[in-house]
Amino acid sequence: MSDSPTISVIMPVRNGEKYIAEALKTILDQAWPVQEILVVDDGSTDRSREIVESLAPRFPAIHVLDGPRRGPGPARNVGLRIAGGEFIGFLDCDDLWPADKLSLHLARFARTPHMDVVSGFVSYFNRQMTDAPAPDPAATTDELFHVHLGATLYRRTVFDRVGMFDENFLYSEDVDLMLRIREADIPMTILNAVTLCYRRHPESMTSTYTAEEKRDFNRALMQSLMRRRKTGSTRPLPPFKHLMEE
């Protein structure tokens, strides 16, 4: 890792006017500066783009890009194609980053230079503080590890090795990416710390477990199995608990 690692953050948005300013604030308020925030507008019909464009003159790191209007995976790929950072982070427009997120990730990368992916725990919350973009201390929360892009920081070279998001997925494109990372034996660890605050609300794409979401999840698993069989590998992927810090 260089002495001054650069970070690109990619945020897809479609009609996120209620939350996007607060999500961006949690990126801008990180102790470690972010060089570019690529907001990919994937066909918003509300004030999302207007809100972001009003912030851009004050925060030069923010750039607004046009998305293909085909869902989060293709929108993230728009950002990935031009991202210039040594490290790549993702944040959905309705979620929040803890204030120490990037510092925790970068400290781990510095301690273990061979590491390519550092993830962490997710805090699911249902109520935000009224005066700050953070979960209300009285909110109902659950903390656990789950495959979430926003909880993870990746070296840019990871995507050179495994490719970008599979644009055939509407859901579980993050699961598919993680499976390809695991299959490639890319060095990864999971911090014993919360690195994403995930907002539970009715408008979320994953607020209910639909038949389409189940279909895509199962398809990601099946494609992983087929890839491993094609290479002659019959061993199951090691469980995530082996990657967790004590």
Side-chain angles (χ1 to χ4, degrees), residues 41-63:
D41 178 15
D42 203 36
S44 295
T45 57
D46 65 359
R47 295 181 57 251
S48 296
R49 188 175 188 122
E50 178 185 341
I51 291 168
V52 178
E53 289 179 340
S54 71
L55 294 170
R58 287 184 287 145
F59 302 102
I62 296 176
H63 305 275

Side-chain angles (χ1 to χ4, degrees), residues 8-12 38 40 42 68 70-83 87-92 117 147-156 158-181 216 219-220 223 227:
S8 299
V9 181
I10 299 168
M11 177 183 291
L38 304 173
V40 185
D42 203 36
R70 291 192 289 112
R76 293 189 186 101
N77 283 344
V78 169
L80 270 175
R81 290 186 185 99
I82 67 168
F87 293 94
I88 305 291
F90 299 93
L91 182 61
D92 287 347
V117 179
V147 176
H148 266 300
L149 297 169
T152 310
L153 195 65
Y154 307 81
R155 289 191 191 274
R156 181 66 177 84
V158 168
F159 299 94
D160 297 332
R161 290 183 60 183
V162 305
M164 298 193 293
F165 292 96
D166 185 334
E167 298 192 359
N168 293 310
F169 285 92
L170 179 59
Y171 301 96
S172 293
E173 76 284 355
D174 51 353
V175 175
D176 172 71
L177 174 68
M178 181 59 73
L179 288 169
R180 286 185 277 134
I181 288 171
D216 275 6
R219 184 156 59 94
Q223 288 185 182
R227 285 191 298 267

Side-chain angles (χ1 to χ4, degrees), residues 7-240:
I7 301 171
S8 299
V9 181
I10 299 168
M11 177 183 291
V13 57
R14 178 181 290 175
N15 296 339
E17 65 179 5
K18 288 174 63 176
Y19 308 113
I20 192 166
E22 293 170 339
L24 288 168
K25 188 175 189 308
T26 66
I27 301 173
L28 294 165
D29 286 350
Q30 293 290 307
W32 196 275
V34 171
Q35 280 64 46
E36 57 180 5
I37 304 170
L38 304 173
V39 180
V40 185
D41 178 15
D42 203 36
S44 295
T45 57
D46 65 359
R47 295 181 57 251
S48 296
R49 188 175 188 122
E50 178 185 341
I51 291 168
V52 178
E53 289 179 340
S54 71
L55 294 170
R58 287 184 287 145
F59 302 102
I62 296 176
H63 305 275
V64 184
L65 307 172
D66 292 321
R69 304 188 181 198
R70 291 192 289 112
R76 293 189 186 101
N77 283 344
V78 169
L80 270 175
R81 290 186 185 99
I82 67 168
E86 179 184 356
F87 293 94
I88 305 291
F90 299 93
L91 182 61
D92 287 347
C93 67
D94 52 352
D95 294 333
L96 307 170
W97 272 357
D100 59 351
K101 177 207 169 59
L102 291 181
S103 296
L104 290 170
H105 285 293
L106 292 172
R108 188 64 166 88
F109 280 117
R111 292 198 304 273
T112 50
H114 71 284
M115 200 65 61
D116 288 329
V117 179
V118 175
S119 193
F121 279 66
V122 181
S123 176
Y124 295 83
F125 72 100
N126 66 346
R127 189 166 74 245
Q128 183 180 313
M129 294 175 64
T130 58
D131 57 349
D136 190 309
T140 300
T141 61
D142 295 299
E143 292 183 6
L144 65 150
F145 174 76
H146 198 278
V147 176
H148 266 300
L149 297 169
T152 310
L153 195 65
Y154 307 81
R155 289 191 191 274
R156 181 66 177 84
T157 52
V158 168
F159 299 94
D160 297 332
R161 290 183 60 183
V162 305
M164 298 193 293
F165 292 96
D166 185 334
E167 298 192 359
N168 293 310
F169 285 92
L170 179 59
Y171 301 96
S172 293
E173 76 284 355
D174 51 353
V175 175
D176 172 71
L177 174 68
M178 181 59 73
L179 288 169
R180 286 185 277 134
I181 288 171
R182 301 293 307 284
E183 292 164 30
D185 289 325
I186 289 174
M188 173 182 173
T189 194
I190 299 169
L191 300 172
N192 186 17
V194 170
T195 56
L196 174 68
C197 298
Y198 182 93
R199 189 190 306 269
R200 286 175 166 152
H201 63 92
E203 295 90 0
S204 171
M205 278 185 65
T206 56
S207 60
T208 58
Y209 193 53
T210 65
E212 291 80 6
E213 188 174 0
K214 182 178 181 180
R215 175 204 63 203
D216 275 6
F217 179 78
N218 289 337
R219 184 156 59 94
L221 298 179
M222 183 58 67
Q223 288 185 182
S224 174
L225 179 60
M226 292 172 64
R227 285 191 298 267
R228 285 182 281 133
R229 284 180 175 173
K230 189 174 181 179
T231 62
S233 174
T234 57
R235 64 178 179 85
L237 295 173
F240 281 110

